[in-house]
Amino acid sequence: MTKTSLCNGVRSDLVDQVVLITGAANGIGAETARRLVARGARVALLDRDRDALDRLTEELGSGAAGFLVDVADAASVDAAVRAAAERFGGIDTVVANAGISGPTRTVAAVDPLEFEQIIQINLLGVFRTVRAALPYVTERGGYVMVVSSIMAAVASPAVSGYAASKAGVEAFGRALRIELAGAGVRVGIAYFGMIDTGMLRGAVDSGMGKVLAVLPESLRKPAPVTAAGAVIVSGIERRARRVYAPNYVPLLLDLRTVLALADPLLARSRRIAELVRGAGERPVAANSVEVDQ
């Protein structure tokens, strides 16, 4: 087998590696799956979108198998992960990617059930996925990647549920990394800014466009989904601690303490005040399609 390049003393060969991906039928998950299969990996595709899952499974052929799952349901996750492990004879890597954007609403105005749904899918769904896959991944000294967001590190008015869930994913990943070090399992965290996916386009159309409008123009342009898929595959190869896209993301992550000092200035911003006012006045439907981050 041809090995990938050495990184921190660790080599990872994608040929015949079994990778389980949630939120696999669309967006970042689907792009990652295509790249992995092209590199010789075998991929378990987990998603609740049956039609998209069937299409992608057919497209990828014998290198992939689809499993219907709802990451908000622990029993569904356990069953799908178990079925995937039986189908492929084990699991080397798990990519906990499934997520939704949720509504663009202030804390005072958001429907509590919609807020809780974001946490259920984006944070607890990651926990359920990793927990179910952990015995298989640990057995092989494998790799876990959880998908966070730049919103874990920056103030995010009117999308607090999404930001809170992604901050939770980051904290979960960091804790997991320490817990699994002795077992030879490495843990990576993916941080994404604006990625051109169906979820982002749907979120913009349903209200998040007003949130993005307050950002500098250089941060508003989405990167192609190919960029996100490429860095996840590279992260699996290198068993990396952190991957990201677009390129500005690590700078914002490293400056998060400095950026937090600007919160009082943001609170006095006229544009932010208009955003908050709008997000608190009219209902905006949640984008509940489980696709990617």
Side-chain angles (χ1 to χ4, degrees):
M1 293 184 181
T2 302
K3 294 289 184 180
T4 62
S5 60
L6 185 67
C7 179
N8 296 327
V10 177
R11 293 179 185 270
S12 177
D13 186 1
L14 294 180
V15 175
D16 287 331
Q17 184 173 153
V18 179
V19 182
L20 182 146
I21 307 172
T22 60
N26 299 282
I28 295 172
E31 177 64 24
T32 301
R34 291 185 180 101
R35 288 172 175 269
L36 286 168
V37 170
R39 296 288 300 277
R42 297 180 292 161
V43 183
L45 310 168
L46 275 62
D47 205 289
R48 70 179 181 183
D49 185 341
R50 183 187 296 273
D51 292 341
L53 187 62
D54 289 345
R55 286 193 299 271
L56 184 61
T57 303
E58 182 177 3
E59 173 192 333
L60 296 181
S62 61
F67 303 88
L68 202 62
V69 69
D70 180 357
V71 298
D73 181 342
S76 173
V77 175
D78 289 344
V81 170
R82 185 168 57 250
E86 291 173 356
R87 165 68 172 76
F88 290 109
I91 299 169
D92 295 287
T93 293
V94 56
V95 180
N97 166 72
I100 60 173
S101 63
T104 305
R105 300 290 278 157
T106 63
V107 173
V110 69
D111 183 329
L113 293 179
E114 289 184 328
F115 189 98
E116 291 170 14
Q117 183 188 37
I118 301 169
I119 304 301
Q120 274 285 351
I121 292 174
N122 293 7
L123 177 55
L124 296 181
V126 167
F127 163 74
R128 294 181 186 111
T129 300
V130 172
R131 177 66 184 268
L134 211 50
Y136 306 104
V137 174
T138 301
E139 183 180 27
R140 296 190 174 188
Y143 180 68
V144 175
M145 178 175 286
V146 295
V147 177
S148 182
S149 166
I150 190 57
M151 287 189 179
V154 300
S156 305
V159 286
S160 61
Y162 184 81
S165 70
K166 293 305 179 181
V169 168
E170 179 190 42
F172 173 76
R174 292 178 63 190
L176 191 68
R177 179 181 291 148
I178 296 169
E179 292 177 4
L180 297 179
V185 176
R186 297 212 171 192
V187 177
I189 303 172
Y191 297 91
F192 294 125
M194 299 299 107
I195 305 294
D196 187 14
T197 64
M199 188 179 81
L200 176 63
R201 292 189 292 271
V204 168
D205 292 343
S206 65
M208 192 179 283
K210 292 183 179 295
V211 178
L212 301 181
V214 304
L215 298 175
E217 185 175 353
S218 59
L219 303 186
R220 293 202 305 266
K221 183 178 180 181
V225 71
T226 52
V231 299
I232 289 182
V233 172
S234 173
I236 295 171
E237 285 183 302
R238 297 179 291 114
R239 291 160 62 95
R241 294 179 69 256
R242 183 171 87 169
V243 301
Y244 53 82
N247 290 333
Y248 63 75
V249 168
L251 177 62
L252 296 183
L253 291 173
D254 294 341
L255 291 176
R256 69 173 74 194
T257 301
V258 175
L259 293 173
L261 297 176
D263 285 359
L265 295 177
L266 292 176
R268 293 195 294 270
S269 163
R270 181 174 300 175
R271 295 183 69 189
I272 295 293
E274 292 173 355
L275 164 67
V276 169
R277 213 165 27 246
E281 289 175 352
R282 58 187 180 84
V284 180
N287 174 11
S288 60
V289 178
E290 183 176 309
V291 281
D292 56 65
Q293 319 312 320

